[in-house]
Amino acid sequence: MTGQKSFPLPSSVAVVPGTEAAQAAYPYYTQFGPDDDARFWFYNSMHFPEPMHHFDMITAEAAYCALGAFNTRVHVLPTTKGIDHRIVNGRVYIGGVPVTDPVEIAERQELFQQRAFYYYEHWERLYDQWKVKMKALIGEAQALPPVELPDWEPIETTHTGKGVASNHALLDTYRRQLEGYYRMWQHHFEFLLLGYGAYLTFFDFCKRAFPEISDQTISRMVAGMEAEIFRPDEEVRRLARRAVELGVDGAFGEGMSVEEMFAGLDAQGNSGAAWRDELQASRDPWFNVNVGDGFYHYHRSWNDDLSMPFSALPGYIAKVRAGETIDRPVEQLIRERDQLVADYRDLLDSDADRATYDQLITLAHRVFPYVEGHKFYCEHWYTNLFFNKIREFGALLATHGFFAEEADVFHLTHYEVESAIVDLSLAWSSGSPPLGPKRWPGIVAERKAAIAAWGDHRVPPALGVVPDVIDDPAIVMLWGITRENLDRWLDDDGDDDGRELKGFAASSGVVEGPARVVTSAAEIGTLRQGEILVCQVTNPSWAPIFQKIAAAVSDIGGSMSHMAIVAREYGLPAVVGTGSATQRIRTGQRIRVDGGRGVVTILDEVLADA
Amino acid sequence: MREAIAWFADVGLADRPTVGGKGASLGELTRAGIAVPPGFVVTTRAFELFLAALEARAPVRARIETCDADDLDAVTALSQEMRTRVVEEPLPPEVEGALLAAHHELCGGDGAPVAVRSSATTEDAADASFAGLQDTFLWVIDPADLVARVRECWGSLYSVESITYRRRQAFPESGVAMAVVVQRMVDASVAGVMFTRSPTTGDKSVVTIEGAWGLGSSVVSGEVTPDRWVIGKITGEISTRDISDKHIEHRPVASGGVEERAVPDDRRRIACVDDATLQQLREIGRKVERHYGAAQDIEWAVDRDGRVLLLQSRPETIWSNRTTAPVAAPTDNPFAHVLGVFGRRP
């Protein structure tokens, strides 16, 4: 291949007019500089598909601090270090840091074997220990005091000789909550790359032994069946069964709001109350799943918004009434997985290959419970606690006139939130009014407008010169970025008539039907039986609605994503990672989903405005 | 097999010396419970009787064995002479009687069409090219026509290519004989081929199916770019669907034989096989592969009632004859495999 292909250089990307101040407000270490033109960057649309609120950048920051620490300094991956990130027009671009010097690689390889192999060897013990650590961390966050600033210090402060006033506790709580979030992300990456690495090693072997095997088949061979992340959906199924057993199933109807369903329950007296007790048992902790990937403050949890699980109840209840078994057939799924592993093993040509295959599948099965299970604790449970705590600060600051509503707090960076807390703390202690109410409302308005402007602004999928080979295993593993993909992006100038969208083949089958574009959890309730779900981000917590849809399409996601596994479990065609399905498809349009090829076709004559 | 005629159900792979490769395979498939259009084989015994009559008039085998394979003119003249003799020689009465009786039993005298296909005993797995030199006649209806086609099949043993090939391989002529398969014809709505491993990568975990409208001859001869599917052998997942423009199809002619017809526009660019049939084909492919213990190269057809039938199955030869190195050797410490991901440099 001759002629170097290139995306726009970072320095050539103009900040959207009118948003300069909002752009400048992101931390200085996230701003593109002149040196960055020499590197390759790509838009991390997988984790950050929407323009970033200033506060939400803490997720990128904490995650890359932790990812890099474990790659670079703890496990010492031989050929890759961490990830650098920058933000422009609200979009997070990232760049890998590969190791290329053979001497350095050799040195790192030595260290890697001492460290990573120790983890693989003691995986179960370390993972058990990890769960203890995570639960303790969650416990600490739950134990943080409520965010409040009383007019008068409680009398207990006097009687106990506490010697610390509420304004100090406020700052302390904020800093401890931030500390917990950064710590959670460290735990998150303690195992993750090693887990993906073991999985990818098996994946590579399968691709060489069976050149035409699909990605989905390999992930089916490895998938665990009892990970925590399946549990929320299992709880919804349990609640549906209990509703029928208690005779309160009449309270749940297709298209009803959560409030209407609760009203129906309350009319059922003791039985209704008994079901509410069941609900309570499920909610703690299993409804601590959020409706996104857990990277944005507005990805609320089921506990914060019951519409997701409740919208799934009527469908499950109908199945229970019809005498269908709705429990996940775990044993059967495990049998099928083991049969798949055995059948592929039989196809191998030599004893040597069978021995290697056994080694690799054993290791992959060993690491996968973490790869699947960690998300419930990290991206869901802890993240929900974290953002809800920040909401409490938002509510307090709003009460003191810093801005209009609690969610406005997310338009401030985490440094700015701390400064506002200090401002409030000073004002509370001195007895004079805080200065924030004069400063923040204008800034919040400016940033709100910026987020809206950035949302309408298309950004290049990558910046800088395309490397000949994407050889950074972290980048390939986590983002599926390959030279082939980049070439596709570069050529993506639309030679079709706009009716065809390509993505990853996540679950095979072909289905035609009406589309339902769902961009927020609030719209989940609008889904009707037999519709095709079109959403930005697919997430395991959406599993309950899979019983009522005919197929699924998403903007973001890879064939290894958990949602792909759920789709396969339900036997539904799914195409993930289309990039723009929610923008190009309109609710009500007839579409065809070909999950085997990864293609979505808009069948209606009239196309939506681009 | 000392009879002139052998029914599929009565033969298997071991009978190859007397019924030829194609006949033995069809018998084996029938016995294995695979749906195959019914038929019989005109055995090498019939050929030997015929040849004996031919030799009684003038030498045949001796002439072939002494010819110079490098003298094309001489071989061409010899070929012409022998084929003329074969076509003109009447069938021995006991052979013709048995053939017509079997044909009557197969077709019930109602003019049902048959395919007449040569089934050479020297045709073997390791040499598909030789198999390709043999003849196939489709949609044969008239009994007299059948007799003539059987003779033509025998005559193909004396084509320039066949003679030259045998001389170069130094096959003794005494071992050369030809059986002929007579099989009820399938009026295929769609037909094609199936490989139980990937022809392009050798992957044993996929089945590749190619198909086009009408009789399978259009696919085998390469006159149509067939639709193509790649299906996970174990999973049934259809990973590739290449739907092509199938501009023509081979259709039978009422009076006998096959013609080429244009495919109407509304059928040209749509898939000629539905998913349920693809899965049925996959199952059949797996069953045949398991029966033989080796990857297969299969010809199939779907009749007007939607039934899937196999017309032929032979061992896949190209990938099976290659020796492949192991993908990766096991390591003392299984964790060391991950260095392939984390430590690899391009």
Side-chain angles (χ1 to χ4, degrees), chain B residues 318-330:
Chain B
I318 301 182
W319 289 94
S320 304
N321 289 337
R322 287 190 195 174
T323 44
T324 42
V327 176

Side-chain angles (χ1 to χ4, degrees), chain A residues 79 212 214 349 353 356 359, chain B residues 198 203-204 237 328 331 337 342:
Chain A
T79 55
E212 299 182 39
S214 69
D349 280 321
D353 277 345
T356 307
Q359 288 185 328
Chain B
S198 165
D203 190 337
K204 288 159 87 177
E237 176 195 321
T331 50
H337 288 296
F342 288 121

Side-chain angles (χ1 to χ4, degrees), chain A residues 274-289:
Chain A
W275 189 86
R276 275 183 172 248
D277 288 343
E278 300 277 3
L279 172 65
Q280 216 45 48
S282 293
R283 287 182 75 158
D284 185 21
W286 301 112
F287 280 20
N288 285 302
V289 285

